[in-house]
Amino acid sequence: MDDPRRIISAPEKERKKIQPAAAKAVRVVTLRGLLVLKIFILSLGAYLTYKNVQVARGLAAGIG
């Protein structure tokens, strides 16, 4: 990535004021947050699938 400031949603004038090191830090925090969110959503989907199978097999009364 040439300029880490390009991923920040702000007017061009404001974006140019941001230091590249700060923009890189924002990028890293954003990507890590998205990774955590993605893992959480995938885990929730896997859990719900597992519980649905358990209900269908008659091994559980319900998902909750």
Side-chain angles (χ1 to χ4, degrees), residues 30-46:
T30 302
L31 290 176
R32 287 184 183 163
L34 288 172
L35 177 65
V36 167
L37 186 60
K38 184 178 180 178
I39 290 171
F40 174 74
I41 291 170
L42 288 172
S43 299
L44 184 60

Side-chain angles (χ1 to χ4, degrees), residues 16-62:
K16 289 187 184 222
K17 292 179 184 177
I18 299 171
Q19 297 295 321
K24 188 173 182 178
V26 168
R27 180 178 153 269
V28 168
V29 168
T30 302
L31 290 176
R32 287 184 183 163
L34 288 172
L35 177 65
V36 167
L37 186 60
K38 184 178 180 178
I39 290 171
F40 174 74
I41 291 170
L42 288 172
S43 299
L44 184 60
Y47 172 75
L48 289 173
T49 301
Y50 170 77
K51 289 304 277 186
N52 277 329
V53 170
Q54 295 294 341
V55 169
R57 293 175 68 195
L59 301 175

Side-chain angles (χ1 to χ4, degrees), residues 3 5-6 8 10-18:
D3 186 12
R5 292 179 287 195
R6 70 183 175 102
I8 296 174
E12 186 69 28
K13 185 171 66 171
E14 295 296 320
R15 245 189 313 192
K16 289 187 184 222
K17 292 179 184 177
I18 299 171

